[in-house]
Amino acid sequence: MCHRDEGLALLEFKNSLAVDSSTVPSQFCEQFAKFTDQPNESITSAQEDGLIQGSLVSLENRERFNLQSNNSSSPQSSLTFLFLSSCNLSQFPGFLKAQENLVVLDLSNNKIQGELPEWLRNVGKDSLYYLNLSLNSLTGGIEHIHSWKNLRYIDLHSNKLHCQLPPLPLSTYVFSASENSLTGEIPKSICNLGNLELFDLSNNSFSGAIPQCLGYFSDWLSVLDLRSNKLHGILPTTFGRCYSLRTLELNGNNLEGHLPLSLVNCKRLEVIDLGNNKFNGTFPHWLGALPQLQVLVLRSNYFHGHVRDTISEQLFGKLRILDVSNNNFSGILPSRLLKNFKAMINLEQRQGKLQYMFDGVTTVVKQAATDQLDAYGGSFFFTRYGYGGIYYSDSITLTVKGFNLELQRILTVLTAIDVSNNKFSGDIPESIGELISVRWLNLSHNKFTGNIPPSLGNLKEL
């Protein structure tokens, strides 16, 4: 294993790599090969029938990785950390079979096809903490996952996995399997994962109801993303232990019923996206009591009735994006409610580099994970990259001139109001012109009457 300074240097190197997917493979493999200039640290360029294009590093003394010849399949001693992302791998390297003490394995963004090999379940069986196999072409099942008793960070997104979700290790902190073809119901065994922080099953084919426990099973859950599946039924009625929940993404399912009032217990919620479902009821004013709420999407549901004006000036103070399009709301558009949207009046205009909501990984890591990894000299990795380097960003879909535009990341300066395709009537409120930071406004396909208020001319950002 690496000394702390070696591990930190490796991370500095890894963090410095370009993000451009067209250049990463050669840059990563070539720079990785040049990482150390110690004479005894042998580096062999291995190209085993297209298995590896580029060079691999061997870290002498602690983590020696050395392919002595093109048909060699095992390193001289045990590895602890192995990063082979974006190296054009076409299959799982055979030398992994001997890695009993592996802690970190990153084979993401390669060209690995087929099912997980049976022998993989024995790689780092008692030591593996972090597994990233995302952005490959893996098929079949993922039953192996339960074999790793200490696995905490699991990223399988953007593959071709077609199976039901097996029980996950009780040690799991982060699980991402979006952009696959996973089927069946979300297993109730998820309720046993009391340390879960991020759970992303978006863009799959899950069916059935959402387990009721998802509202209260973990004090740590920050991201729950189940969008674009085939889930039905009602939301969990009790959101109690949701102290850390900041993103709730359920867009694109067949969920129905009223929104549970217990959502107000989730005080850190920033993003609520319930669009493209079958929810009903009146406009949920009570969600305005969430002090951090910035994005509220209720589009394409069965909400109805008048949106009453608000008495309190404290509701929706940080809201930047409101989409209630394609519902059955009626009556006038309440003027005082619009005045509450203070984030759309005085949005901070950040200079320099663009910033995005929840772009990347959180920096908060449980002390237990850091303490445990100290034994491997690897706490730098998890402390610095939060969710072990597993990437997640908030996203949203807006309708622009009749076309749905999916934004994979949400700019912190993006502000939008979409009330189109409802039955709002009466005059367009003059107060809407006070929302001078609004960049997207859609009032179309309603029953508004009267003149366009001159105050709309104040919206210079449109």
Side-chain angles (χ1 to χ4, degrees):
M1 60 188 137
C2 296
H3 290 300
R4 283 179 177 270
D5 56 347
E6 293 175 327
L8 184 57
L10 179 58
L11 291 171
E12 290 282 2
F13 162 76
K14 181 175 183 285
N15 193 41
S16 69
L17 296 179
V19 180
D20 185 352
S21 60
S22 65
T23 60
V24 165
S26 60
Q27 278 192 335
F28 181 84
C29 295
E30 291 171 8
Q31 291 189 44
F32 200 16
K34 297 175 183 177
F35 172 69
T36 177
D37 57 2
Q38 298 298 320
N40 292 329
E41 293 176 347
S42 61
I43 301 169
T44 304
S45 178
Q47 299 181 357
E48 307 177 17
D49 300 324
L51 176 64
I52 300 173
Q53 296 181 11
S55 299
L56 300 174
V57 68
S58 62
L59 301 181
E60 188 68 37
N61 299 328
R62 293 296 187 271
E63 299 169 321
R64 181 179 177 86
F65 178 73
N66 183 11
L67 293 178
Q68 295 292 342
S69 65
N70 282 350
N71 55 14
S72 175
S73 61
S74 62
Q76 292 183 355
S77 62
S78 182
L79 293 166
T80 305
F81 299 89
L82 181 59
F83 302 98
L84 290 178
S85 176
S86 305
C87 284
N88 280 329
L89 300 178
S90 60
Q91 63 188 58
F92 287 92
F95 65 82
L96 282 175
K97 295 178 182 179
Q99 305 310 312
E100 298 179 354
N101 299 312
L102 204 61
V103 175
V104 173
L105 176 59
D106 187 346
L107 300 178
S108 62
N109 197 27
N110 281 292
K111 300 177 181 178
I112 304 175
Q113 302 181 12
E115 299 184 1
L116 300 181
E118 185 63 28
W119 53 261
L120 189 64
R121 67 174 69 236
N122 295 316
V123 174
K125 187 172 183 178
D126 297 320
S127 58
L128 197 65
Y129 264 58
Y130 171 73
L131 176 67
N132 192 341
L133 302 178
S134 64
L135 295 162
N136 281 286
S137 297
L138 298 173
T139 58
I142 51 175
E143 293 78 12
H144 294 46
I145 295 297
H146 198 59
S147 301
W148 290 297
K149 304 301 182 183
N150 292 307
L151 194 57
R152 298 191 178 187
Y153 305 88
I154 309 167
D155 192 350
L156 304 173
H157 86 265
S158 301
N159 278 284
K160 299 178 181 179
L161 298 169
H162 184 80
C163 63
Q164 295 189 2
L165 186 64
L168 301 178
L170 295 178
S171 55
T172 303
Y173 282 9
V174 174
F175 183 76
S176 175
S178 62
E179 304 284 350
N180 279 285
S181 298
L182 300 177
T183 61
E185 297 186 357
I186 299 174
K188 291 186 172 67
S189 59
I190 296 298
C191 304
N192 299 322
L193 305 181
N195 291 313
L196 195 63
E197 298 177 9
L198 184 150
F199 191 49
D200 185 0
L201 299 180
S202 61
N203 293 285
N204 279 285
S205 297
F206 286 103
S207 57
I210 296 176
Q212 285 290 310
C213 70
L214 285 188
Y216 57 83
F217 76 107
S218 173
D219 293 334
W220 300 97
L221 188 64
S222 177
V223 174
L224 178 60
D225 192 341
L226 304 178
R227 64 191 144 135
S228 299
N229 280 284
K230 300 176 182 178
L231 300 169
H232 59 77
I234 63 173
L235 287 183
T237 55
T238 302
F239 282 83
R241 295 171 57 189
C242 54
Y243 317 116
S244 302
L245 189 62
R246 59 161 306 283
T247 296
L248 179 62
E249 287 269 11
L250 300 175
N251 196 312
N253 284 284
N254 293 305
L255 300 168
E256 59 187 358
H258 289 233
L259 305 185
L261 291 172
S262 58
L263 271 175
V264 296
N265 295 325
C266 310
K267 299 297 184 183
R268 294 186 180 180
L269 266 173
E270 297 179 16
V271 177
I272 300 178
D273 187 351
L274 307 177
N276 295 286
N277 280 285
K278 299 178 181 178
F279 293 115
N280 57 49
T282 57
F283 181 76
H285 285 85
W286 43 273
L287 287 177
L290 294 171
Q292 304 300 324
L293 187 63
Q294 298 182 46
V295 178
L296 177 60
V297 178
L298 303 176
R299 65 180 296 166
S300 300
N301 278 283
Y302 298 142
F303 292 105
H304 58 84
H306 291 201
V307 178
R308 61 180 176 82
D309 227 330
T310 177
I311 299 176
S312 173
E313 297 181 357
Q314 307 303 317
L315 300 181
F316 298 110
K318 288 192 175 182
L319 195 67
R320 298 188 296 105
I321 298 175
L322 174 66
D323 187 350
V324 297
S325 61
N326 295 294
N327 281 283
N328 289 306
F329 291 118
S330 58
I332 63 170
L333 199 58
S335 177
R336 282 186 296 184
L337 178 63
L338 294 174
K339 289 184 177 182
N340 277 9
F341 300 162
K342 296 179 177 61
M344 301 188 196
I345 299 175
N346 297 308
L347 183 67
E348 177 186 354
Q349 301 296 316
R350 296 175 175 84
Q351 301 297 321
K353 183 180 179 181
L354 295 177
Q355 298 183 33
Y356 299 87
M357 292 189 64
F358 205 70
D359 182 40
V361 293
T362 183
T363 57
V364 179
V365 182
K366 293 185 179 60
Q367 189 62 40
T370 301
D371 291 345
Q372 185 71 23
L373 281 173
D374 276 340
Y376 296 98
S379 60
F380 282 114
F381 177 81
F382 287 93
T383 300
R384 187 163 178 183
Y385 289 93
Y387 286 148
I390 292 177
Y391 185 84
Y392 181 87
S393 65
D394 289 322
S395 63
I396 192 174
T397 299
L398 296 176
T399 301
V400 180
K401 296 184 178 180
F403 295 95
N404 289 336
L405 176 64
E406 183 176 359
L407 304 178
Q408 294 293 339
R409 297 186 294 174
I410 305 176
L411 279 166
T412 55
V413 296
L414 177 62
T415 50
I417 297 178
D418 191 345
V419 300
S420 62
N421 289 289
N422 281 283
K423 298 176 182 177
F424 288 112
S425 59
D427 292 338
I428 297 174
E430 191 77 30
S431 61
I432 205 167
E434 298 178 17
L435 308 179
I436 58 175
S437 294
V438 168
R439 293 172 179 264
W440 174 246
L441 175 64
N442 191 350
L443 306 175
S444 64
H445 300 287
N446 279 286
K447 298 181 178 180
F448 291 117
T449 57
N451 297 322
I452 296 176
S455 64
L456 287 184
N458 299 330
L459 306 183
K460 306 296 186 181
E461 300 293 334
L462 287 178

